[in-house]
Amino acid sequence: MPVNMSKPVRMLVLLLALGCVITACTKGKKTRIAIMTKLEAGSIVGSSEINAARLFIEQRGIKNIEIVPVNDNWDPEQSKAALEDIIRQGIQVLITSHTSTCALAIMDRINSAPVFTFVTGATTDKLSGKDDFIFRNVLDVGSEQERIAGYLNALPGRSLLIVRDVKNIGYTQPALAFVKKYLKKEICGSLDVNVDSLDLQALQAQIAGLACDEAYLLIGGYRSLAAGAIAQAVKRRFPGATIVFTPWVKSPELIEAAGSALRDCVLPSHYPPREQSLAISRYIETFHSRFGYSPTFISINVYIALGILSEAIDAGARTPAEIKQYILKKKTFPNEFVDVSFDEYGDVAIPLYFVTDIAREY
């Protein structure tokens, strides 16, 4: 027998039904997250990051996120073009792993769009202390270099050689200024090199007349091969020297490139040494088993960023403003690797570890 309903009741039923349809559609719609990285053929960095995202999706059974790989080859002009393509596609959430130079090139456009952007590799201080849509889970360059300078100061030698890469000037220029600010020992030489056109013979000639106890290789952008080659050149000239890298050459390529010099090298890291962290060791083993190679450690930054974004999306945040508000309200995000706490500007204060047995990391 049909049920007679008054007009107001029928309207209420229709509205409830429409609400259910809208809710179902909203829940079923995936949030697209672009990962902008170096995807040129053979790039371990880019493949590590995309595969880290795949691993996260698989392990967590994520159904409401779609990963969109975007190539910028870590080139500022390509970063600009890639961002415009992201905006044209209507994607409002982005994870980047590129260098500080690239980050500076797209900073203003990110905020004018806006696109909520999680930076996992750029430390430039130009991103620090700003109320905008750019968050990151790595130290800014000032905090990073203060910690590295503290380690350098504690080494027994009195004099320090600094070799700086001028290709990624957005990182290495402020980094040099900050490390000099905090350094308490003599700089026996400060040399500039371009890792894209590295002339080892010229470098060896430059350091031939110097007397140095230690060396700091101010090289980022995962130019691990160049960093390893320079470490060998420095070690030949100064056999007793301790050589300190930046955190931004931590990849399997560094081990082979540095050769026998590696045993006297120190690698700053955003994570504890592998033998001290079961989570790190498990991640590397799982990744290698799944994809057949060892990942770069920046892929863990991407993995963590995706976890934070996934939590925000599960809580109903979809737009850049909603995601920003969710993260700022919660502030601290525990995870199996290292807890991440944000200040009011989306910056973090996290430890920096110093790995002395680099080969064991892989």
Side-chain angles (χ1 to χ4, degrees), residues 9-53:
V9 172
R10 286 198 301 271
M11 288 298 295
L12 178 60
V13 171
L14 287 171
L15 287 171
L16 288 172
L18 180 60
C20 290
V21 170
I22 291 172
T23 301
C25 291
T26 302
K27 286 184 177 179
K29 186 177 180 181
K30 291 187 176 184
T31 298
R32 304 176 76 199
I33 299 179
I35 298 182
M36 185 187 293
T37 184
K38 182 188 295 186
L39 294 176
E40 63 186 2
S43 172
I44 294 176
V45 175
S47 67
S48 289
E49 292 156 20
I50 300 303
N51 284 335

Side-chain angles (χ1 to χ4, degrees), residues 145-160 179 182-186 213-214 242 244 266 354 356:
Q145 295 302 310
E146 181 178 12
R147 287 160 172 76
I148 292 174
Y151 187 88
L152 291 167
N153 289 333
L155 292 174
R158 296 182 178 181
S159 59
L160 177 73
V179 79
Y182 297 114
L183 204 60
K184 296 178 180 178
K185 57 180 57 181
E186 175 194 352
D213 299 317
E214 290 133 8
T242 297
V244 179
V266 178
F354 292 87
T356 54

Side-chain angles (χ1 to χ4, degrees), residues 271-281 284 297 354-362:
Y271 304 102
R274 182 177 174 179
E275 68 270 17
Q276 296 178 20
S277 171
L278 180 61
I280 296 292
S281 186
I284 295 172
F297 272 68
F354 292 87
V355 179
T356 54
D357 191 350
I358 301 171
R360 286 190 66 179
E361 293 298 280
Y362 297 97

Side-chain angles (χ1 to χ4, degrees), residues 100-177:
S100 293
T101 305
C102 293
L104 293 175
I106 62 174
M107 173 179 65
D108 292 339
R109 184 65 174 121
I110 283 171
N111 288 309
S112 67
V115 175
F116 184 88
T117 300
F118 220 125
V119 171
T120 67
T123 65
T124 172
D125 54 330
K126 302 296 185 194
L127 298 180
S128 305
K130 292 189 174 182
D131 181 13
D132 59 11
F133 290 97
I134 301 174
F135 283 42
R136 59 183 164 189
N137 59 354
V138 290
L139 292 167
D140 85 341
V141 66
S143 299
E144 175 193 278
Q145 295 302 310
E146 181 178 12
R147 287 160 172 76
I148 292 174
Y151 187 88
L152 291 167
N153 289 333
L155 292 174
R158 296 182 178 181
S159 59
L160 177 73
L161 169 69
I162 300 177
V163 181
R164 177 182 69 151
D165 171 35
V166 295
K167 178 65 178 177
N168 183 19
I169 204 73
Y171 168 58
T172 61
Q173 182 168 303
L176 182 62

Side-chain angles (χ1 to χ4, degrees), residues 131-349:
D131 181 13
D132 59 11
F133 290 97
I134 301 174
F135 283 42
R136 59 183 164 189
N137 59 354
V138 290
L139 292 167
D140 85 341
V141 66
S143 299
E144 175 193 278
Q145 295 302 310
E146 181 178 12
R147 287 160 172 76
I148 292 174
Y151 187 88
L152 291 167
N153 289 333
L155 292 174
R158 296 182 178 181
S159 59
L160 177 73
L161 169 69
I162 300 177
V163 181
R164 177 182 69 151
D165 171 35
V166 295
K167 178 65 178 177
N168 183 19
I169 204 73
Y171 168 58
T172 61
Q173 182 168 303
L176 182 62
F178 278 115
V179 79
K180 285 182 174 180
K181 175 182 176 180
Y182 297 114
L183 204 60
K184 296 178 180 178
K185 57 180 57 181
E186 175 194 352
I187 297 176
C188 58
S190 184
L191 310 177
D192 286 344
V193 297
N194 186 327
V195 296
D196 277 357
S197 54
L198 184 59
D199 187 339
L200 286 174
Q201 288 187 336
L203 176 64
Q204 288 171 329
Q206 287 179 290
I207 64 177
L210 301 177
C212 304
D213 299 317
E214 290 133 8
Y216 176 36
L217 306 190
L218 189 42
I219 300 166
Y222 276 83
R223 306 312 294 266
S224 306
L225 294 176
I230 293 171
Q232 289 205 52
V234 170
K235 196 63 181 172
R236 281 193 292 271
R237 174 63 186 89
F238 310 112
T242 297
I243 300 171
V244 179
F245 296 111
T246 74
W248 303 108
V249 292
K250 190 173 185 179
S251 81
E253 295 176 325
L254 180 65
I255 296 171
E256 184 176 352
S260 60
L262 196 69
R263 63 175 176 265
D264 292 315
C265 292
V266 178
L267 184 64
S269 172
H270 301 109
Y271 304 102
R274 182 177 174 179
E275 68 270 17
Q276 296 178 20
S277 171
L278 180 61
I280 296 292
S281 186
R282 186 186 297 119
Y283 171 81
I284 295 172
E285 290 168 4
T286 302
F287 190 103
H288 194 283
S289 176
R290 174 68 177 83
F291 301 110
Y293 65 97
S294 295
T296 61
F297 272 68
I298 199 172
S299 68
I300 303 178
N301 297 356
V302 172
Y303 190 101
I304 291 173
L306 192 52
I308 294 170
L309 292 171
S310 178
E311 182 179 325
I313 291 165
D314 285 344
R318 295 291 186 275
T319 67
E322 290 169 346
I323 293 171
K324 174 182 177 179
Q325 182 182 22
Y326 179 86
I327 294 174
L328 289 180
K329 184 177 180 180
K330 183 171 180 180
K331 292 186 181 298
T332 299
F333 293 81
N335 63 79
E336 63 266 43
F337 302 112
V338 59
D339 292 353
V340 179
S341 295
F342 297 93
D343 65 14
E344 67 270 31
Y345 301 112
D347 293 319
V348 296

